[in-house]
Amino acid sequence: MKTRWVWSGLTASAVMMATGLAFSGGTTTSDAQLMDFNQATGELWAYPDGQALSTYLHEPRTRHVLADLARFAPPDPCRPLAEAWNFTVRYDQRFGVRSTFVFDVLLVTMAEFQCRATVTSVAGQPQPIVIITPTAN
């Protein structure tokens, strides 16, 4: 559990450093259990570890990061979703597109299975998501 948290934190930190967000202040990174996602509004409800239900905002500018598939142990139902997530991240990188609709559909399904994700957000209500990546349960 601690190794996963450290890995998630390092990944988010590296991405934040690369994008310059580490110095802008006001960002929060947490490992959260996804509960529901409204595709029409982009609102994602999740339980960050040790906190009350939070509302996040998934936007077209949200950065989607590859999941560490080695952390998913079978028969985790979230692994195939993480594999689809990684495929979409790589597709977007290769072709220079943003597959927001595909990520929306994946978030709907991930929430149905109550999968987990590391979410980096900024202050707001709902909190806009800067970076998101699936994590193992």
Side-chain angles (χ1 to χ4, degrees):
M1 179 70 170
K2 287 185 181 186
T3 304
R4 177 177 56 187
W5 180 252
V6 169
W7 175 256
S8 298
L10 289 174
T11 301
S13 296
V15 172
M16 286 174 48
M17 293 289 281
T19 61
L21 291 171
F23 305 107
S24 64
T27 61
T28 304
T29 300
S30 57
D31 190 30
Q33 181 178 12
L34 308 183
M35 300 305 293
D36 195 14
F37 181 69
N38 182 329
Q39 197 170 352
T41 64
E43 290 179 311
L44 173 66
W45 291 272
Y47 283 109
D49 285 344
Q51 299 179 35
L53 186 67
S54 295
T55 307
Y56 299 99
L57 183 61
H58 183 249
E59 304 175 300
R61 65 182 175 180
T62 297
R63 182 175 164 110
H64 305 93
V65 177
L66 291 171
D68 180 6
L69 297 177
R71 304 272 181 215
F72 291 82
D76 189 339
C78 298
R79 182 182 170 102
L81 298 171
E83 289 171 348
W85 182 280
N86 283 358
F87 176 86
T88 308
V89 169
R90 288 186 183 105
Y91 180 91
D92 284 6
Q93 290 171 345
R94 181 174 180 195
F95 294 103
V97 297
R98 290 189 177 262
S99 301
T100 304
F101 177 78
V102 176
F103 286 111
D104 284 352
V105 171
L106 286 169
L107 286 170
V108 167
T109 310
M110 289 170 64
E112 287 175 3
F113 283 100
Q114 296 184 356
C115 297
R116 298 185 67 79
T118 299
V119 180
T120 301
S121 61
V122 294
Q125 193 54 30
Q127 302 171 51
I129 299 172
V130 178
I131 302 165
I132 187 168
T133 185
T135 57
N137 288 331

